[in-house]
């Protein structure tokens, strides 16, 4: 039995979304159970909460406060020790749950997860990985997405190893390909760090630690050229948000054009089934649930604006990761790649520990 | 009379596109003339070339070779001294033309332009600026787009000044707003360079050198939050190519859904005028023509796959930049901001000259 801890208060909608998503998840997975962490007085207001409370595979844990979207990391970490987010992560630490899921403040979740669960041996910095739909009809896993703004080549190798472990755990792909995000396919392209990372990832590919494809460019993310795209958190965050901005602009332009006058509205009515099919293809909700990787415990972050369907996908992702032992896969991958990282420290004199990076 | 030198062989289509675009441009601008640089034997094959050759405001200059898309910078710069691209840029250097336009190899064009025209005083590195359509119905100018992968805060300030000069020259906006691309709006976000750049841009805003808005995120590019978005070339290139990849995926998904069966095809037929209006809104060809900024002469780069309409827009852009004296605007802007950059060198001990950066 896999048990997932859910921060029932997280996200823009809290129980309105987490309660129905939890019910749907329990119905779909007979081998799963939930620990629902929230403020009882608010949970009780939801009409379906009684049903969830009575469920044999759901246990409710009371929290006394909530981490807000605009709370600083300091506030979330030091002053809200009884928040639903903190208690959900604590469940993983204490072995009561195999994974935690929250739709709350990303920075706070990462800080709490790092503080409570600690970083895994051999990992300098945890990363955030998400999936984006691609032109091949599948999904491209991209990391890091904002946890780390200044990265060394060692970090990028660790991201590649962690991303590979994630994809093998949540999909049926035993050997996902990895691309290094760059501004050209040629090995001579990019910043100094990226060039060194390219050499390191190639070495990892040659030694069988990775299925390394080579450099990829921004357009390859949505082309689906590789299963995984590795980049530093600054670049990953900008790429993700730029895409969100473009998708939103395109969606609005379409709405405007179809609602311009009575004729365009009729056209929209006729085209409605096609537009719905198109929307379904583009539906990023299917890929909701970003993984916080490199910690001694599994934590998944749902989009703050997730609806019940989207949150259920994040629960599914956490469930797949837990039952396919993502934690051990990451550990094994890092252990396997350790000699390469060690060579890097000795031969190339590049700092890989967190302290060295801070000084650097 | 403004004269523009056109590399008639550049891009995926060469004269097939450059000849009709040149004719259309001359027709639209009675105060403009063109220097068409190309291989006579290939130009003569185009049915409209005779018309262009006979035009009173067009002069043809013979080249003997062409820079190819896969030529290395070394080859383009050292071995092809009689290429149409090189001769077009030479025309600017020699004062025969006020700007050059090419749809050829970007790396080669930047290298030739830097070598022939030299960098402007006070500019460490030239940058590439392009415009992207935004949700407000206007365009957001983004720079740098790949010329500079490792940037200091001084470079980012120079980009901001050059971008502002460009927008005032090619639009009717006398005081365009500048956003610094970051992974959050708060000043504490981002890498060390970005945080320092934020301080510097704020200082420039306070001293009246810039209309500085503050940090923006990836989605603000397409939202149109600011007129200009400044970032290093690595990030800008990834953002641009990721957007291209997403737009292409969306376009393909729509085609697939509308051509699925006879019913969806009928829906597509009914919705055709709306889809065309939508396509027009999204038409990036309107914004074709990236500016190479910071050189002692004006050079514009058209997209390689540009059609005649798109190339004509690049010619328009070069024409507007030349007649509104972009060169002087950039010089004035940099001169005005010079005290700030100087403070930076003295007080903060940050390298700003090209040599210092190379060592760094």
């Amino acid at each position: 039995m896999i048990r997932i801890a859910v921060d029932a208060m997280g996200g823009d909608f809290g129980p309105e979304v987490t309660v129905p998503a939890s019910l749907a998840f329990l119905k779909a997975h007979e081998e799963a159970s939930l620990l629902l962490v929230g403020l009882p007085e608010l949970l009780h207001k939801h009409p379906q909460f009684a049903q969830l409370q009575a469920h044999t595979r759901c246990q409710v844990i009371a929290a006394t406060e909530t981490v807000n979207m605009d709370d600083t990391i300091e506030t979330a970490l030091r002053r809200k020790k009884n928040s639903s987010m903190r208690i959900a992560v604590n469940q993983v630490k204490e072995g009561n749950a195999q994974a935690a899921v929250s739709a709350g403040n990303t920075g706070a979740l990462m800080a709490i997860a790092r503080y409570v669960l600690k970083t895994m041996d051999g990992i300098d910095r945890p990363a955030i990985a998400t999936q984006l739909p691609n032109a091949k009809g599948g999904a491209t896993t991209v990391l890091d997405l904002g946890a780390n703004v200044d990265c060394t080549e060692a970090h990028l190798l660790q991201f590649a190893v962690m991303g590979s472990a994630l994809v093998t755990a949540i999909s049926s792909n035993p050997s996902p390909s990895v691309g290094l995000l760059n501004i050209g396919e040629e090995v001579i392209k990019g910043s100094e760090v990226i060039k060194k990372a390219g050499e390191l990832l190639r070495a990892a590919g040659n030694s069988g630690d990775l299925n390394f494809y080579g450099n990829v460019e921004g357009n390859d993310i949505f082309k689906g050229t590789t299963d995984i795209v590795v980049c530093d958190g600054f670049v990953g965050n900008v790429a993700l948000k730029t895409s969100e901005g473009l998708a939103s602009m395109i969606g609005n332009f379409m709405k405007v054009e179809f609602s311009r006058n009575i004729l365009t509205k009729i056209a929209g009515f006729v085209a409605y089934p096609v537009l719905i099919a198109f929307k379904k293809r583009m539906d990023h909700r299917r890929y909701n649930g970003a993984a916080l990787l490199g910690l001694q415990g599994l934590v998944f972050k749902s989009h703050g604006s997730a609806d019940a369907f989207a949150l259920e996908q994040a629960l599914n992702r956490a469930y797949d990761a837990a039952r396919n032992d993502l934690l051990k896969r990451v550990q094994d991958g890092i252990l396997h790649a350790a000699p390469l990282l060690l060579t890097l420290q000795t031969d190339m004199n590049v700092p890989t520990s967190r302290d060295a990076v801070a000084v650097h």
Side-chain angles (χ1 to χ4, degrees), chain A:
Chain A
M1 176 78 68
I2 299 286
R3 197 179 290 136
I4 313 280
V6 185
D7 168 9
M9 313 311 293
D12 302 346
F13 308 108
E16 194 187 322
V17 156
T18 54
V19 169
S22 297
L23 274 172
F25 172 78
L26 287 170
K27 198 175 168 188
H29 301 281
E30 297 203 341
E31 295 296 304
S33 63
L34 292 178
L35 294 177
L36 198 74
V37 189
L39 276 62
E41 63 277 23
L42 291 178
L43 285 171
H44 275 288
K45 283 187 186 163
H46 195 283
Q48 288 183 297
F49 178 64
Q51 202 182 332
L52 200 53
Q53 209 178 10
H55 201 290
T56 51
R57 287 183 280 118
C58 183
Q59 190 186 328
V60 178
I61 302 178
T64 59
E65 51 198 344
T66 304
V67 172
N68 299 320
M69 283 312 209
D70 53 1
D71 275 341
T72 62
I73 287 177
E74 173 70 20
T75 302
L77 195 59
R78 311 273 167 224
R79 305 211 190 132
K80 292 192 168 177
K81 294 191 178 169
N82 291 311
S83 72
S84 54
M85 185 188 277
R86 176 68 165 266
I87 295 174
V89 175
N90 283 344
Q91 301 311 307
V92 176
K93 171 73 179 173
E94 291 159 13
N96 300 332
Q98 282 77 60
V101 174
S102 174
N105 183 324
T106 311
L109 182 62
M110 180 54 107
I112 288 174
R114 275 181 86 148
Y115 179 79
V116 171
L117 299 172
K118 311 295 179 219
T119 305
M120 198 181 265
D121 275 353
I123 299 287
D124 296 311
R125 303 177 182 188
I128 303 177
T130 199
Q131 293 196 304
L132 294 167
N134 66 37
K136 291 186 173 165
T140 306
T141 298
V142 184
L143 75 165
D144 176 45
L145 286 172
N148 307 285
V149 291
D150 287 305
C151 289
T152 66
E153 57 273 32
H155 300 137
L156 291 164
L157 174 59
Q158 291 168 15
F159 297 169
V161 169
M162 295 194 290
S164 300
L166 175 67
V167 175
T168 56
I170 62 173
S171 77
S172 54
N173 185 344
S175 178
S177 56
V178 176
L180 175 65
L181 191 57
N182 203 338
I183 59 170
E185 284 173 23
E186 309 84 348
V187 292
I188 53 145
K189 290 272 184 174
S191 65
E192 287 311 309
V193 169
I194 291 293
K195 279 188 246 181
K196 284 186 200 160
E199 287 173 29
L200 192 58
L201 289 169
R202 250 183 303 284
N206 292 337
S207 65
D209 292 318
L210 280 183
N211 174 8
F212 184 54
Y213 171 89
N215 287 338
V216 293
E217 297 185 69
N219 50 339
D220 290 303
I221 296 174
F222 290 104
K223 254 191 190 169
T225 306
T226 55
D227 299 305
I228 297 158
V229 171
V230 169
C231 57
D232 75 44
F234 193 97
V235 172
N237 185 287
V238 168
L240 181 73
K241 289 196 178 148
T242 303
S243 311
E244 286 176 358
L246 176 58
S248 151
M249 179 179 84
I250 292 176
N252 285 337
F253 280 178
M254 276 187 75
K255 259 186 220 154
V256 168
E257 290 304 337
F258 274 111
S259 54
R260 192 169 286 283
N261 57 44
I262 184 76
L263 286 176
T264 60
K265 280 180 189 163
I266 293 171
F269 183 75
V270 173
Y272 188 72
V274 184
L275 296 175
I276 287 296
F278 166 70
K279 206 176 162 189
K280 205 171 163 187
R281 245 181 209 266
M282 293 294 302
D283 191 356
H284 56 81
R285 296 181 308 161
R286 288 183 297 158
Y287 303 105
N288 186 39
L292 273 54
L293 295 169
L295 300 163
Q296 295 179 38
L298 297 179
V299 179
F300 282 77
K301 164 74 175 81
S302 158
H303 206 286
S305 67
D307 61 9
F309 173 79
L311 190 72
E312 192 191 339
Q313 308 315 310
L315 292 172
N316 289 341
R317 199 135 292 154
Y319 175 70
D320 286 341
R323 72 189 172 94
N324 294 318
D325 216 347
L326 172 56
L327 224 50
K328 191 171 177 308
R329 285 174 196 260
V330 172
Q331 259 160 352
D332 289 351
I334 289 294
L335 206 66
H336 210 268
L340 258 179
L341 288 164
L342 206 64
T343 325
L344 197 68
Q345 277 178 304
T346 334
D347 290 2
M348 295 166 75
N349 214 5
V350 170
T352 58
S353 85
R354 230 172 314 161
D355 291 342
V357 170
V359 172
H360 179 73

